[in-house]
Amino acid sequence: MVILDGKKISNQIKDEIAAEVKEMKSNGEKVPHLAAVLVGEDGASLTYVGSKVRACERIGFESTLVKLPDTTTEDELLAKIADLNADDDIDGFIVQLPLPKHIDEQKVLLAVDPDKDVDGFHPANFGKMALEMQTFIPATPFGIMELLKRYEVETSGKHAVVIGRSHIVGRPISILLSTKDKVGNATVTLTHSRTKDLEAFTKDADIIISALGVPNFLKADMVKDGVVVVDVGITRVPDETAKRGYRIVGDVDFENVSKKASYITPVPGGVGPMTIAMLLKNTLLARQRGMAKKA
Ligand code: BQF
């Protein structure tokens, strides 16, 4: 059994990006600049944007955190997005999800300039991804693909079973695994809450991507020997003994499933850190593509 070490690979990717930033600097070029918009004070969201800003600092990107109160109106947020779209200094930006309930997420995602949409959530970018055109691939599925690539996990002709059809993970990873790419060419089953007899699918799967958000959902008796397991679950459960008062738990019963798996991601330290690294990768790409447009 091989651990798909997202912590380690994400650090490699960050080092590679840092080297490119150094190169850009020595050529007198502007370094990539990522902005993040956070509306409200949701604890997990604060942690996530904090990680993103710190990662920017570590690799030499410029970063801007735009913190707005949870009383921000939809129009005020849309105005902020228009500012960021127009700001030539900003190469890419994200609006941290989830948004407060009084704000229409679809309207917000549509307002982001697709050329600065480093989360890849704009419908134009999602469509390009499905059509295998140049775009920004959403960071979590991009991170999963990169992890499989760097460990040389064979996907061609394999049966990949995705659990969960979210717009951010399940739906895009199901598309990417089926593309005619090096990491791709899988036969994909996208399962969800209305799937009948999920176990019949997971037992047949060569690769399982679980993006459900139910702790310890995937048990050893639901998988076959040699399965590749990617755990995208990150549920916070209270834990008195932990520094922050909680720990994060994946969808997979790691202790038992790992005994049957050929490759498996841990939680934490699997897909999560890859998400951050690929957001940075997309920001670098935004900078490089922006340069190409001006040249
Ligand atoms: C780790 C996210 C749900 C909804 C909105 C490292 C992250 C998580 C875990 C992280 C996530 C999840 C992010 C670990 C960003 C991934 O070591 O296991 C990093 O920061 N993530 C987000 O920005 O928005 C979310 C999940």
Side-chain angles (χ1 to χ4, degrees), residues 126 129-132 170-179 188:
F126 197 97
M129 175 188 67
L131 297 170
E132 302 176 53
R171 189 68 55 77
I173 195 67
S174 70
I175 292 169
L176 291 169
L177 285 167
S178 76
T179 56
V188 179

Side-chain angles (χ1 to χ4, degrees), residues 8-279:
K8 183 177 92 182
I9 301 295
S10 69
N11 281 326
Q12 278 174 15
I13 293 168
K14 283 189 267 188
D15 288 346
E16 290 163 16
I17 298 172
E20 290 213 42
V21 172
K22 217 174 143 195
E23 178 79 14
M24 289 171 125
K25 268 187 176 162
S26 71
N27 292 338
E29 292 169 21
K30 190 187 98 68
V31 302
H33 187 168
L34 174 70
V37 182
L38 174 63
V39 185
E41 301 269 338
D42 174 71
S45 294
L46 276 164
T47 304
Y48 296 148
V49 288
S51 306
K52 292 168 191 181
V53 168
R54 257 185 292 113
C56 283
E57 283 163 7
R58 213 196 98 186
I59 62 166
F61 282 12
E62 283 188 67
S63 64
T64 299
L65 175 55
V66 181
K67 271 185 86 177
L68 302 174
D70 62 5
T71 51
T72 304
T73 66
E74 188 177 280
D75 282 343
E76 285 166 344
L77 177 57
L78 292 171
K80 188 69 224 176
I81 290 170
D83 289 347
L84 292 168
N85 285 340
D87 187 340
D88 283 339
D89 199 58
I90 303 287
D91 299 292
F93 67 97
I94 64 158
V95 180
Q96 182 65 43
L97 301 182
L99 287 166
K101 278 185 278 297
H102 65 277
I103 296 176
D104 182 344
E105 193 175 291
Q106 263 190 26
K107 256 193 193 166
V108 168
L109 299 181
L110 273 166
V112 176
D113 178 347
D115 293 334
K116 293 191 177 191
D117 172 36
V118 287
D119 258 343
F121 293 162
H122 191 289
N125 284 329
F126 197 97
K128 286 182 176 180
M129 175 188 67
L131 297 170
E132 302 176 53
M133 296 164 71
Q134 179 179 283
T135 181
F136 297 110
I137 294 167
T140 299
F142 196 7
I144 294 168
M145 296 300 278
E146 193 63 30
L147 203 51
L148 297 175
K149 187 182 190 171
R150 296 206 183 206
Y151 278 90
E152 296 180 49
V153 175
E154 182 64 75
T155 55
S156 181
K158 302 295 182 186
H159 184 198
V161 171
V162 177
I163 309 175
R165 57 182 155 186
S166 76
H167 295 171
I168 291 171
V169 183
R171 189 68 55 77
I173 195 67
S174 70
I175 292 169
L176 291 169
L177 285 167
S178 76
T179 56
K180 266 183 167 166
D181 207 344
K182 196 154 53 187
V183 185
N185 292 302
T187 304
V188 179
T189 304
L190 179 52
T191 69
H192 46 75
S193 52
R194 302 292 180 92
T195 296
K196 287 177 187 162
D197 197 5
L198 177 67
E199 259 194 71
F201 292 102
T202 58
K203 277 180 177 155
D204 185 65
D206 302 304
I207 301 169
I208 299 173
I209 314 284
S210 187
L212 190 64
V214 178
N216 290 309
F217 174 82
L218 193 76
K219 302 281 202 301
D221 63 1
M222 295 168 70
V223 306
K224 69 182 182 190
D225 278 316
V227 67
V228 175
V229 178
V230 175
D231 189 351
V232 194
I234 38 136
T235 307
R236 286 183 170 202
V237 301
D239 181 349
E240 311 270 297
T241 69
K243 266 202 305 271
R244 297 175 182 81
Y246 65 86
R247 64 196 158 87
I248 63 170
V249 180
D251 290 350
V252 178
D253 174 5
F254 183 90
E255 188 185 324
N256 296 304
V257 173
S258 62
K259 289 174 186 153
K260 292 176 88 173
S262 56
Y263 296 86
I264 187 166
T265 62
V267 174
V271 175
M274 291 299 293
T275 298
I276 306 283
M278 301 324 276
L279 172 65

